[in-house]
Amino acid sequence: MKVLVTGVKGQLGYDVVGELTKRGHEAVGVDIDEMDITDAESVAKVIGEAAPDAVIHCAAWTAVDAAEDEENISKVRAVNVDGTRNIAEICKKLNCRMVYISTDYVFNGQGSEPWQPDCKEYSPLNVYGQSKLDGELAVSEILEKYFIVRIAWVFGKNGNNFIKTMLNIGKKYPELRVVCDQIGTPTYTYDLARLLVDMVETEKYGYYHATNEGGYISWYDFACEIFRQAGYDTKVNPVTTEEYGISKAARPFNSRLDKSKLIENGFEPLPPWQDALARYLKEIEY
């Protein structure tokens, strides 16, 4: 199978190409230098010439706070909405399947019940969330052969993330504050890549949620486990989102994602996040 992967320089795209190659599939990795997704002609030319069986669309604007800046809003939408639509259009023309990576931010982040993948009660809290939702809607309107996969709290080798931030701070300071009232589960891109390739090898299309197993936690819980496994004696002080201070973009308190649909459709869930963290720490230098 031939699969084109966007955002190959990012955390997820990098791992997806690695997983495809490992399985003997032909992976075509592109980033902005090879294909500007906001340029419909560029997308049609590059994907058209590659003629893949599937596209796994990992490229996105993910700087959540920067997305709130007035001068960036149109750029965010150009990437996350127009770019996604451009890819969906050429996938339709070529009759190839598409995987779109989305986020728990499409929901309002309230309550304590895990969000269901087929829930349509969308209410994004910020510009980034709205742009990812609009990207979802474009894919579902244009295509029939699609997977929309929502993830949360992403970490991978090839990029910046919460774990790397904690380790850097832990080296410099004896203690720090981390919010304890935002609840979710981390997603290791190496594990997610395996699932995405599993998916694209099937025709079990639709909406899915995919984070690591291991139970729902707060960012505070995550930070404590990072330092424990890394062998740091950094003290972590739990604070509420309000106490921590307002960020430009509103953050969801409830990022719990229900992943039971994976098992129902015969997909293997991701390993526990504690195990993923242990493997990740062995991968990176800190």
Side-chain angles (χ1 to χ4, degrees):
M1 184 166 57
K2 188 176 190 180
V3 183
L4 185 137
V5 182
T6 69
V8 72
K9 291 180 181 174
Q11 295 183 103
L12 182 55
Y14 175 84
D15 282 338
V16 169
V17 166
E19 181 67 22
L20 286 163
T21 304
K22 191 163 67 178
R23 294 199 203 181
H25 295 305
E26 184 180 350
V28 180
V30 298
D31 216 290
I32 192 165
D33 292 339
E34 295 80 28
M35 183 179 82
D36 178 357
I37 65 171
T38 67
D39 180 345
E41 286 185 13
S42 171
V43 171
K45 182 175 186 293
V46 173
I47 299 180
E49 288 176 357
D53 301 295
V55 174
I56 300 180
H57 179 32
C58 302
W61 177 295
T62 57
V64 178
D65 285 324
E68 298 292 312
D69 293 340
E70 194 66 40
E71 66 270 22
N72 287 336
I73 293 174
S74 61
K75 297 176 190 173
V76 177
R77 293 193 60 80
V79 173
N80 291 352
V81 187
D82 301 339
T84 300
R85 185 181 291 110
N86 290 338
I87 292 168
E89 292 283 9
I90 190 64
C91 284
K92 182 179 182 179
K93 185 177 179 182
L94 298 174
N95 192 32
C96 75
R97 59 196 69 169
M98 178 176 177
V99 181
Y100 173 65
I101 309 302
S102 194
T103 171
D104 63 286
Y105 279 42
V106 301
F107 302 116
N108 67 14
Q110 302 304 304
S112 58
E113 286 296 308
W115 299 102
Q116 300 292 327
D118 293 303
C119 173
K120 297 290 190 284
E121 295 172 17
Y122 308 122
S123 186
L125 299 175
N126 51 46
V127 171
Y128 166 73
Q130 184 66 54
S131 72
K132 292 300 287 184
L133 171 59
D134 290 344
E136 281 191 15
L137 296 173
V139 171
S140 64
E141 285 165 8
I142 294 166
L143 296 172
E144 292 179 2
K145 296 180 178 181
Y146 66 84
F147 301 86
I148 289 174
V149 184
R150 299 193 190 103
I151 60 177
W153 299 19
V154 181
F155 67 93
K157 185 178 179 182
N158 198 41
N160 294 316
N161 54 62
F162 182 76
I163 299 172
K164 289 182 179 177
T165 300
M166 289 299 101
L167 293 172
N168 287 334
I169 294 173
K171 284 177 190 171
K172 298 175 185 174
Y173 303 99
E175 61 182 286
L176 73 160
R177 303 184 308 153
V178 179
V179 295
C180 60
D181 56 356
Q182 296 176 23
I183 309 298
T185 324
T187 310
Y188 184 16
T189 54
Y190 180 86
D191 295 336
L192 178 63
R194 186 266 307 161
L195 174 64
L196 296 179
V197 178
D198 285 351
M199 285 181 170
V200 88
E201 288 176 342
T202 76
E203 294 181 3
K204 296 176 181 177
Y205 305 119
Y207 291 80
Y208 292 92
H209 287 165
T211 64
N212 283 85
E213 297 297 317
Y216 301 118
I217 56 169
S218 68
W219 288 109
Y220 164 77
D221 298 324
F222 195 19
C224 289
E225 183 64 11
I226 291 165
F227 291 131
R228 188 191 73 77
Q229 288 199 22
Y232 287 21
D233 56 7
T234 309
K235 183 183 178 186
V236 186
N237 298 308
V239 295
T240 65
T241 299
E242 188 177 6
E243 288 169 337
Y244 187 80
I246 298 169
S247 57
K248 281 184 184 177
R251 295 298 200 281
F253 289 103
N254 179 19
S255 292
R256 299 171 182 87
L257 295 176
D258 186 290
K259 294 159 290 194
S260 55
K261 190 174 176 182
L262 293 175
I263 297 170
E264 290 165 11
N265 283 277
F267 295 117
E268 183 186 341
L270 277 56
W273 64 266
Q274 298 91 335
D275 171 71
L277 172 61
R279 285 180 286 119
Y280 181 67
L281 290 173
K282 287 179 182 175
E283 276 283 306
I284 63 171
E285 295 177 7
Y286 65 92

